[in-house]
Amino acid sequence: MRGTDARDADTSGADGGKPDAAVVRDALGVGVAVGLSGFAFGVTSAGSGLTVLQTCALSLLVFTGASQFALVGALAGGGNPFTAAAGAFFLGVRNAFYGLRLSQLLALPRVVRPFAAQWVIDETTAVALAQPTRRGVRIGFTVTGLSLYVLWNLTTLFGALGAEAIGDTDAWGLDAAGPAVFLALLAPMVRTTAERAVAGLAVVLGLGLLPVLPAGVPVLVAALAAPLVLWADGRRRARTAPAEAAGERDTVEEER
């Protein structure tokens, strides 16, 4: 059973959820795989002119990879610091929507919530939402957040210190590790026709607008795919509902 009722019970594998060890394994896999891409951020940030201290402060305090890359990318392109910061801020706003959902699933004590909010990012949300029980949600969120936070900050430091030695990160493709893992996490969750339509339209919007809009903005525009698909699906249902109702009435009359 996958639903809110199942998640409300603090159960493990015996009640339909994954065994704790399996959740920890999956969460560590995500944390390690994505955490290694912090090395690319450290190199990119140092290459854009930020000091090692500034680079590490971004990872420690901001800790949302896409926003961090958007910020240093805009700075590297000669953008105004305030404009770059604004773009990174709006890109990170998505985490607030993640938090609305996770707050219901995690049901953490109030004193813990401000600290947990630091770990509300794409990867922790994806791992948590993949769990069918509240116990699994909490384990997945905590292990992913802790492993990713520690490794991301360590690799950021190493990347910033070794920026001159590593050279161009584009040639290594390190910045693609995080998005690749996240896509691999999301792919099994896209099951219905509407979900596939949202994913496809988001890809078209994001890639199509990438050459013409500043860094980070295409991702925000791609988020419009969900309401557009829902609107189109609602219109389709409204058109087909009368015909379906008429068909049901005809069936009932024939049975009589």
Side-chain angles (χ1 to χ4, degrees):
M1 178 179 179
R2 290 184 64 87
T4 304
D5 293 339
R7 283 172 169 154
D8 285 341
D10 289 333
T11 57
S12 58
D15 294 310
K18 292 181 182 177
D20 292 351
V23 179
V24 171
R25 183 188 63 240
D26 294 344
L28 282 175
V30 174
V32 172
V34 179
L36 291 175
S37 61
F39 189 83
F41 170 72
V43 174
T44 304
S45 179
S48 69
L50 272 67
T51 65
V52 173
L53 181 60
Q54 290 171 329
T55 297
C56 291
L58 273 176
S59 283
L60 284 168
L61 302 177
V62 179
F63 188 55
T64 169
S67 297
Q68 293 178 229
F69 274 109
L71 175 63
V72 298
L75 293 176
N80 182 285
F82 295 102
T83 303
F89 171 78
F90 285 115
L91 186 58
V93 165
R94 71 192 188 283
N95 293 338
F97 296 100
Y98 295 160
L100 292 175
R101 180 59 177 147
L102 287 178
S103 65
Q104 300 173 355
L105 299 180
L106 292 168
L108 297 173
R110 291 183 179 275
V111 68
V112 179
R113 292 177 187 176
F115 302 98
Q118 178 71 351
W119 291 352
V120 177
I121 55 175
D122 296 331
E123 292 77 14
T124 54
T125 301
V127 173
L129 292 179
Q131 312 309 320
T133 64
R134 176 165 292 166
R135 179 182 177 86
V137 170
R138 287 176 172 176
I139 293 174
F141 177 84
T142 303
V143 175
T144 305
L146 179 61
S147 59
L148 181 50
Y149 188 76
V150 171
L151 191 55
W152 176 271
N153 281 283
L154 284 175
T155 54
T156 293
L157 174 61
F158 295 150
L161 292 174
E164 295 183 0
I166 194 66
D168 185 11
T169 55
D170 291 339
W172 293 79
L174 295 174
D175 54 339
V181 172
F182 189 57
L183 286 176
L185 269 174
L186 287 181
M189 302 174 67
V190 179
R191 299 186 181 95
T192 67
T193 302
E195 290 170 348
R196 295 189 187 99
V198 170
L201 182 58
V203 170
V204 171
L205 289 173
L207 294 181
L209 296 174
L210 194 60
V212 296
L213 293 179
V217 178
V219 176
L220 298 177
V221 177
L224 296 175
L228 287 174
V229 170
L230 290 175
W231 174 80
D233 188 57
R235 291 288 302 272
R236 181 186 63 80
R237 291 176 182 272
R239 289 195 302 268
T240 58
E244 292 176 354
E248 291 177 359
R249 286 197 298 269
D250 293 340
T251 302
V252 172
E253 291 175 359
E254 289 177 0
E255 291 177 352
R256 288 178 179 175

